[in-house]
Amino acid sequence: MSQISNLRLLCSYSSFLCPNPFCRLSFSSSLLSKPRVLLNSHFSTLTALSYSGRRARRPANGGGYFQHRRGNSTLREERSKDRDPAPVREMEEGMVGFNKKRAEGRDKSDRPRTLQLKSRKLNPVNTICYVQILGTGMDTQDTSPSVFLFFDKQRFIFNAGEGLQRFCTEHKIKLSKVDHIFLTRVSSETAGGLPGLLLTLAGIGEEGMSVNIWGPSDLKYLVDAMRSFIPNAAMVHTRSFGEMQSANEVAVLDHSLHCCVDPIILIDDEVVRLSAIPLRPNCSGGSSMKPGDVAVVYTCELPEIKGKFDPEKAASLGLKPGPKYRELQLGNSVMSDHFNIMVHSSDVLGPSIPGPVVLLVDCPTPSHMQELFSTQSLNSYYVDSPDCQRDGIKLVNCVIHLGPASVTKKADYQIWMKRFGKAQHIMAGHEMKNMKIPILKSSARISARLNYICPQLFPASGVWPPKDGIASSFRFSIVPCEVHPSDFVDSVSAENLLKFHLRPYSQLGLDRSAIPELFNQTHIFNELLSEIPEIKDVSECISSFWRNHVENKGLRPLKCGEVVEEPWIKEASQPFDDNLRNQRKNTSKIGVPCLNFNQKPELDDVSDIPTCLDNITREDMEIVLLGTGSAQPSKYRNVSSIFINLFSKGCLLLDCGEGTLAQLKRRFGVDGADNAMKTLKCIWISHIHADHHTGLARILALRCQLLRDSPHEPLLVIGPRSLKRFLDAYSRLEDLDMLFLDCRHTTEASMDAVLSSHGLGEDCFAEVEEKENIAKGSEPQLLETTLFGQGSKMQSYWKRPGSPVDMATVMPVLRKLKELLHKAGLEALYSVPVIHCPQAFAVVLKAAERTNSVGKVIPGWKLVYSGDTRPCQSLIDASHNATVLIHEATFEDGLGEEAVARNHSTTMEAIQVGTKAGAYRIILTHFSQRYPKIPVFDEAHMHNTCIAFDLMSVNIADLHLLPKVLPYLKVLFRNEMVVDESDDAMDLTVG
């Protein structure tokens, strides 16, 4: 039953991802500008009616959906059953089922849900406490590291950048135990993983869970942005502090207002007193400051440890052993049993030990340093402060610095650090060098193994250390040091899972025992060869037939534009062709094809290769699958994102789930990813579900920073209308520098007319709009795009009037789209409505025609990406004769009911769509996280299909070899074809 519980857990996240875009969420806030205690008093709540994506009603016995459907059968037993042919039969008859309510955005649960905050009984005496570095982003330098404050009954996390969930899953850190999340700044760098984390917590257990989120007053803007897609069932308890920005969202800095003597107390209970000190940048000349510029210093003070009780002193003061001893140990005073005196705890207790103190300092820019150095709120922590003469001096044990090296290595900053005396300093900001070990060790191991087998499809990671030794590490631009090395404060560089113990007092100090061991590709390769010795033959075989493909194209000189196969190629490939046909007969006991590695591989008949691939080069187009999982990030698969590399002509992103930037850096390296950001032409988003767009803000913010000092144009973002609401709200926090275009404006009917016209004039688009309105018998206004024509079997159920088109706004953006397509060598980009949720789309990319050396016109390639969808005729029509169809395959064939309930596709359904459309190659992606490494599939139907893996790179020149690799990859995963990620999934459960 544990596996079934895991399925319900993993799918619950997906069920929360489809909010009704027409619902309205309630939000109220209260902000504090003066020091005060905030706990259990002032907070703001983001809430709405409950919602889930067609979750079946739970049976009376309390079982979940899968328990009700499967009874007591396990996942392994279900997979061993015969495949359900019903979805295939329905598709062949043009009657594929789908969840109508989910597609309409009306699929709500039976009753409202209120996610309650956890209530825990604290233990102030014998508690365990430590702070720990959760190194999200440290191997790719794309997010701020998180800090974990652990008590045996409470958990706090500071900052939640992208990748936090993957990191916690990797290292079995239970997010369900987290009570509070604190943000040192409100930005994509520190809060990019927050939406996904809230979704995960909302899906845990039967009723879901919630968490307190703390941050400066700018937190309101992040909450306003998230409510455009956060699930209706989730309740976000947001607690803001500090001064609110002015109505126009721009504040003029007045230093006289910010010299607060006392920090703002956020939490004050039996185990910790946690306070905040806001820092505002020094805006010279009274210049303006935007929300998002405020940084925070957090102070964590544990209560003092009472001295040892002395029974002899108690007896001398006339006390008898009994309850009064306990009262004195608790710090209370009691009356003596024999004398007429009051006995105080100080009379019988030894000297108290001050409670440990930890500071988390985020000084992101040099402009924040002035207020950091001058704030009076920190005076009580300085050893050289006049306050040190008082009894209330607080000795700091540990200071964690989250600021970048460009700030922390400045002379003034180093001098300021010395004011904390003998405190342990941990430098957790972006350093001059990368870490020697990837953060996501499991994912890195899989990528390295795939690279060993087939480096052509799985290039070496851009963030791996050099192969000549693990002691090496990447070098980046050196940050100039303003002080001599001997004058630096003694400090340590943060490492993944580095701890600083606070309690028990006997363990006070650093603890490196949990830091992962260093490893590199050589170690992984040796481990692989030891585990699967025959893998070396597999790698050599793939390299051999890939080399033959590159060196010997098998084509004789062109004559009259024809492409003819040389006879010797056919003869040479015949033995290997026979071998592949007999693979299903010659299968080993472990289910792996008995490949003959001495035979040459089969080459496609040249007549089967589409003409658009004639004379194709490796510099034309490459598909990089950055994320191939669904719902939430896992150890082995990130969420949806596809990078289309057009090389010298730029690049595009199709979907942009959380962690997309980190995946780009793992594929291309830090500098390579930055260059990719600079040359991005367009980002296209399929629908509003969080696993497809929550990495977008980080990408846009970074691109804006990289190009700040260079002339550039705003980046075009194409997506559903509800995405614009999120981006508009979020742009109050960070400059995103983008133009938005609704997917409805990029349907084929509109774009064909736009691109076919020689000049993009308003009369051209107006003519198209007028024709569509006449056909619909309506006034000249834009309607929601329909999936199917009037009278078809599957007419759209969510056709609703939209807002009138503002032609003065739309036309310049359409003109921009036409220009960037031309520069990118593309003939068209258009969106196709599909069946999943309201405003869900697929996308079609068409390359421009080209002329070969003999003057023959060669049609451009055609790429289609399905987004999330049920099989539908509109996608089949759009994919007609596609060169590549990238189609979601969330579920295996035996889970057709789940596919229908959630408006996703099974593996067979995705292949059927490509077959009906006549697609040359099909790449399956968006797999359920119940398939941790490789999904379940029937190899008999994979002759033109390939399974996608994270960081897989498919060059268009290698397309005809793509399906040949799959049988070899099965050798790598032969022991894991049906293994569920049970242990990892259970880490997120309540326990």
Side-chain angles (χ1 to χ4, degrees), residues 79-98:
R79 288 175 176 171
S80 65
K81 294 181 180 179
D82 294 336
R83 300 289 187 254
D84 181 10
V88 178
R89 288 200 305 269
E90 288 179 349
M91 184 173 180
E92 291 174 350
E93 299 169 0
M95 294 292 291
V96 175
F98 67 100

Side-chain angles (χ1 to χ4, degrees), residues 174-220:
K174 295 184 178 181
L175 294 173
S176 62
K177 298 284 190 177
V178 174
D179 302 277
H180 302 270
I181 298 175
F182 299 87
L183 301 180
T184 61
R185 279 176 290 125
V186 184
S187 67
S188 58
E189 184 181 1
T190 59
L194 189 57
L197 178 56
L198 295 176
L199 291 167
T200 297
L201 292 174
I204 288 178
E206 293 290 335
E207 297 298 329
M209 307 182 74
S210 188
V211 65
N212 288 296
I213 302 175
W214 303 79
S217 59
D218 307 337
L219 180 61
K220 173 190 182 302

Side-chain angles (χ1 to χ4, degrees), residues 334-351:
V334 298
M335 180 64 67
S336 172
D337 295 320
H338 297 292
F339 308 115
N340 188 24
I341 61 172
M342 184 69 68
V343 180
H344 304 285
S345 59
S346 59
D347 298 331
V348 295
L349 296 179

